[in-house]
Amino acid sequence: MLFFSVALAVARRQVYRVFTKLSFFLPSLFPVLFFLAFAGGLTRVGEVPGFDFPAGYEAFQFVWVLLQAVTFGGAFTGFAIAGDFESGFARRLLLAAHRREGIILGYILASLVRVTFTGLLVAVSAYLVGMQVLGGGVDLFGLVGLALLLNFSATLFATGIALRLRTQQASPLIQTPLFLMLFLAPVFVPMPLLEGWIEAVAAVNPLTFLLEAGRSLIIGEPAGVWFAYGVGAALALVLLGWALTGLRRAERSGS
Amino acid sequence: MAGSNGIEVEDLVREFKGGLRAVDGVSLRVCEGEIYGFLGPNGAGKSTTVLMLTTLLPITAGTATVAGFDVARQGPLVRSAIGAALQEAALDPYLTGTEHVRLQAALHGMPRKEGRRRGDELLERVGLVEAAGRKVGGYSGGMKRRLDLALALLHGPEVLFLDEPTTGLDPQSRQALWEEVSRLATDEGVTVFLTTQYLEEADALADRIGIIDDGKIVAEDTPEALKAQIGRPSVEAVPQDPAELESLGDVLGRFGSPVAASSGAVAVRLERGAGELAEVVRALDGAGVGVSSLRLDAPTLDDVFLEKTGRSLEGESEDAAEETPA
């Protein structure tokens, strides 16, 4: 019971900060700008020979922007954790929390709330610019599930780094791997159109599986969805260990 | 025995990387409802001890129980039983005082109604009712300290840790905090573990004092008993003619070793106690050194500190206070 009260208290504060402080809130809008820039400015990429995506380029790009939004939602949560340690506020949480794992759950819940808001904003923007969705309710539910699973993993990854470094200097170390993972994937064209080293890297990039599965769901032709969930779940499991060992490190440091 | 709500520490050690022993075999007992003053200069190991006892830092060796719970093995239970206001008040500048109270109540799993009632009561007690709706970023140092204390008390802890709670506070705020700490121990039976580098604070508040230096406890007793160990008072004299300061020093030097004195004065610790005062007066008269004032001072905690460590704490605490932003 105390575990959940700690988690809810941490989550409530984090959500409150995001939605009441402009500097914390603004990054939530970036994915909308990404979507408008990529889907708007690169629409003719969809006319490249071999580019076969029945729902159109907006829907193709929406899935990537959605996954990008949830990934960076996790990164921003990591920045917040690092900031709490740097300012000393984390001591209040560590001192009061009966079960300290509840602190991590709290940050994860806050991250989920944040990306739900951002995801909705991106979805509304996409509908406004005429995105077609060919998948049904179950497909969309599957897409949302994939996005939330990715957010969970990204938050755990960022949490692990933030808890190890406990300073804002953790930010580039959180951001860079996530940025590489996002862009070393079939971002602008489908996987079959990639060539050379980028194709080789994208083929083993875990994000590719989630992205391709997400795109198959939005056009209502699910392919590789269970495998993508498996990859997402495996990532989440490994990164849960990463975050928990980070918490143990932070506890040992006396932060 | 310390009792179930006290503190028992046995051979506590904290070693950092490179073999630095910040705390080196500290043993102490604090009884239920007692105010224990942990006195020492910067870097003596006071805060490291507090971090270990509050489960914020693992123990390298030794044992410690707080409120009857083992610090190393029952961390969650220790945290439920204690409140702590550490050196740097851990506050979020973007939250108001009231929001901090609600967050703290939720972290402790207090029912919402109970948290609000207790929070309102504590905010009133620390004089923050009017400022409660303001963001903490705009609070003064004293207000932050008072809010931190209120938050530490919110869940009704049995043991309260205060790590240099009055550093950087103005005299009025310091006095108010002292009164509140005394009231907590006397009226509510809260055990208080107070670290300080202010001798006056330890003297005024603590039932017992432990003096720590270089990670080791060098003396421990009631303030009166510690001062009685020194036994010998000091005498301070101001010459009528400032040019006679050196001669005055020569005469007083026959009666004991020099100690810190006010500007334009000379002071010595009387080797054979207060009974020597008459001889001091005769010696000054004999030497033809006139004095405008002659004062006999009882031993202070700084004398105790000087005796035990070979260093004075007075200057160090003043320096630290000057360095600490309000």
Side-chain angles (χ1 to χ4, degrees), chain B residues 278-302:
Chain B
E279 278 182 54
V280 170
V281 174
R282 277 194 290 272
L284 288 170
D285 195 35
V289 179
V291 292
S292 60
S293 103
L294 187 70
R295 199 178 71 209
L296 191 68
D297 289 324
T300 65
L301 281 177
D302 194 43

Side-chain angles (χ1 to χ4, degrees), chain B residues 72-183:
Chain B
R73 285 177 295 167
Q74 295 175 293
L77 294 171
V78 171
R79 288 194 285 279
S80 298
I82 64 167
L86 303 181
Q87 260 185 57
E88 300 282 327
L91 302 170
D92 183 338
Y94 302 120
L95 297 186
T96 65
T98 306
E99 285 162 354
H100 272 92
V101 167
R102 291 188 186 155
L103 171 71
Q104 188 78 7
L107 285 170
H108 283 292
M110 294 171 75
R112 188 171 290 193
K113 255 190 180 174
E114 167 67 6
R116 290 191 178 191
R117 186 196 60 75
R118 178 95 175 131
D120 290 346
E121 179 191 312
L122 284 166
L123 286 173
E124 191 174 345
R125 206 192 287 168
V126 298
L128 286 175
V129 173
E130 280 177 31
R134 279 167 39 202
K135 303 258 187 228
V136 165
Y139 280 22
S140 68
M143 290 164 84
K144 285 180 184 169
R145 288 276 181 189
R146 283 184 280 149
L147 176 61
D148 204 20
L149 179 65
L151 296 174
L153 294 170
L154 193 68
H155 61 297
E158 293 152 20
V159 181
L160 179 65
F161 289 90
L162 299 172
D163 193 6
E164 304 200 5
T166 59
T167 301
L169 291 193
D170 59 76
Q172 272 182 323
S173 302
R174 186 178 297 189
Q175 187 63 39
L177 202 133
W178 287 1
E179 283 167 15
E180 180 58 22
V181 171
S182 292
R183 196 197 62 75

Side-chain angles (χ1 to χ4, degrees), chain A residues 168-209:
Chain A
Q168 299 274 20
Q169 286 167 17
S171 303
L173 287 177
I174 292 171
Q175 220 164 354
T176 309
L178 295 178
F179 197 78
L180 288 173
M181 185 183 75
L182 281 166
F183 280 92
L184 296 176
V187 181
F188 302 110
V189 292
M191 190 68 187
L193 293 183
L194 293 184
E195 281 183 0
W197 67 268
I198 184 79
E199 184 198 2
V201 175
V204 293
N205 181 352
L207 187 86
T208 302
F209 303 111

Side-chain angles (χ1 to χ4, degrees), chain A residues 59 64 71 86 149 207 219 250:
Chain A
W64 182 82
T71 304
E86 194 167 85
L149 189 56
L207 187 86
I219 59 170

